[in-house]
Amino acid sequence: MPGSSVKMLGKAQGLPADQVFLDLEDAVAPLAKAEARKNVVAALNEGDWGGKVRAVRVNDLTTEWTYRDVVEVVEGAGPNVDCVMLPKVQNAGQIQWLDITLTQIEKAVGLEVGRIGIEAQIENAVGLVEVDAIAAASPRLETIIFGPADFMASINMRSLSVGALIPDYPGDPYHYILMRILMAARTHDLQAIDGPFLQIRDVDGFRAVAKRSAALGFDGKWVLHPGQIEAANEVYAPSQEDYDHAELILDAYAHYTSEAGGRRGAVMLGDEMIDEASRKMALVIAAKGRAAGLTRTSRFEAQ
Ligand code: GLV
Ligand code: MG
């Protein structure tokens, strides 16, 4: 949820999103930064966030604001902060700075050391080139986020339509960036999250962009407006059909590899051959489906 006005902060609390982030960066004007910190601390302490992950995006480390953002928010609302999001990360050292600063504050005010996680936004060419080292920089790191708007500006991409395909280019101009982030995230067991789609009334446009990163394996996408939430939840969850299929593969494979099922390695499920690799793929889809609250509509029956 961008911005940190009291009204917006109140509105975000009841929405069916998995996480909410309160912004001190680009949605807050330079002259409003100090007031925004206070609003964020109050909203974290007084709001009912209903089990959502509560993140705060601080300003990036090329500004004069970052250290005060971190100190004021974590000293003021530490037990109610789950993650600090660092934008425009350029190297592993910046993540290490945040890790050490969080540790100092946690020790100083008596918070559990290491509980607060870090989310890193990759938003420029330097950050992308360094993404492997960034992903390995701290055990606090939980998530790598693609920041398409800043990224497009950073590489001089000739488009103002964030995340959308560019008619003059025959492929997906974001494919390399998304894959690069995804590889770093998966290597270090982190979540990979796609960034914002700014045309908030164009839900079909949002869906089209989201489908591309979801197809690659991204775990989710930012929403800037309540109108985008339903589409996001739908796109990043597997379809009912794929979910049922994944559960069937898991059951069938468990059965056929067992003593009773004949201790077989590769077997047929309908017209499809399944083996250990199928089980691994099915585990991914089944886990996403279960996490999204899907329930099975079919059962496996041994032939
Ligand atoms: C998000 O921060 C973006 O720049 O896209
Ligand atoms: Mg940005």
Side-chain angles (χ1 to χ4, degrees):
M1 176 68 39
S4 299
S5 75
V6 175
K7 189 165 154 236
M8 279 168 114
L9 293 174
K11 210 165 146 190
Q13 292 171 22
L15 298 172
D18 298 323
Q19 166 168 342
V20 63
F21 85 83
L22 311 180
D23 197 15
L24 295 174
E25 202 220 13
D26 283 357
V28 178
L31 292 177
K33 299 278 185 198
E35 190 193 334
R37 290 185 192 118
K38 291 189 176 44
N39 290 342
V40 162
V41 167
L44 288 166
N45 288 339
E46 290 153 29
D48 174 7
W49 297 96
K52 292 188 194 46
V53 174
R54 299 150 301 178
V56 177
R57 180 166 74 166
V58 297
N59 287 279
D60 85 85
L61 274 164
T62 63
T63 70
E64 66 271 42
W65 297 302
T66 325
Y67 79 101
R68 266 192 210 281
D69 291 343
V70 178
V71 172
E72 277 196 35
V73 168
V74 180
E75 283 195 355
N80 297 317
V81 177
D82 299 311
C83 280
V84 173
M85 186 190 301
L86 192 61
K88 304 181 179 68
V89 177
Q90 305 208 31
N91 53 56
Q94 296 190 334
I95 297 293
Q96 285 152 359
W97 173 87
L98 182 55
D99 186 335
I100 292 167
T101 306
L102 286 169
T103 301
Q104 290 210 324
I105 303 169
E106 286 164 341
K107 284 182 177 168
V109 300
L111 296 166
E112 179 189 336
V113 173
R115 189 193 61 82
I116 297 177
I118 296 177
E119 306 190 345
Q121 271 191 287
I122 299 298
E123 306 199 78
N124 49 45
V126 188
L128 191 66
V129 168
E130 290 293 318
V131 71
D132 293 327
I134 290 169
S138 161
R140 291 186 193 258
L141 208 66
E142 295 178 5
T143 307
I144 310 276
I145 302 163
F146 174 41
D150 275 302
F151 204 100
M152 291 165 75
S154 137
I155 62 169
N156 296 359
M157 197 180 261
R158 235 183 46 194
S159 167
L160 287 171
S161 193
V162 174
L165 295 181
I166 301 174
D168 285 342
Y169 185 70
D172 175 352
Y174 307 99
H175 179 78
Y176 169 75
I177 310 168
L178 291 171
M179 273 306 210
R180 192 80 187 70
I181 289 174
L182 190 59
M183 294 308 116
R186 292 294 173 256
T187 300
H188 298 282
D189 203 15
L190 306 173
Q191 296 186 93
I193 298 292
D194 194 4
F197 183 72
L198 307 187
Q199 275 74 21
I200 55 172
R201 301 205 192 290
D202 180 7
V203 178
D204 288 341
F206 173 92
R207 203 177 263 114
V209 174
K211 275 185 176 171
R212 287 196 290 274
S213 68
L216 298 179
F218 269 61
D219 300 297
K221 182 172 178 66
W222 280 13
V223 294
L224 299 178
H225 186 269
Q228 296 178 327
I229 295 180
E230 198 185 319
N233 285 338
E234 176 197 305
V235 169
Y236 289 91
S239 67
Q240 182 69 46
E241 193 185 345
D242 284 351
Y243 173 66
D244 280 334
H245 188 185
E247 295 283 15
L248 275 186
I249 290 175
L250 292 179
D251 283 355
Y253 191 70
H255 170 73
Y256 289 120
T257 51
S258 72
E259 198 69 53
R263 283 188 275 163
R264 283 181 280 168
V267 288
M268 293 303 286
L269 175 65
D271 289 341
E272 175 187 24
M273 195 204 81
I274 59 169
D275 67 2
E276 176 58 25
S278 322
R279 186 186 72 87
K280 291 199 176 83
M281 291 166 69
L283 273 178
V284 172
I285 308 292
K288 286 192 186 219
R290 290 174 204 162
L294 296 184
T295 50
R296 298 181 65 165
T297 60
S298 63
R299 296 269 148 231
F300 167 70
E301 278 163 34
Q303 304 296 311

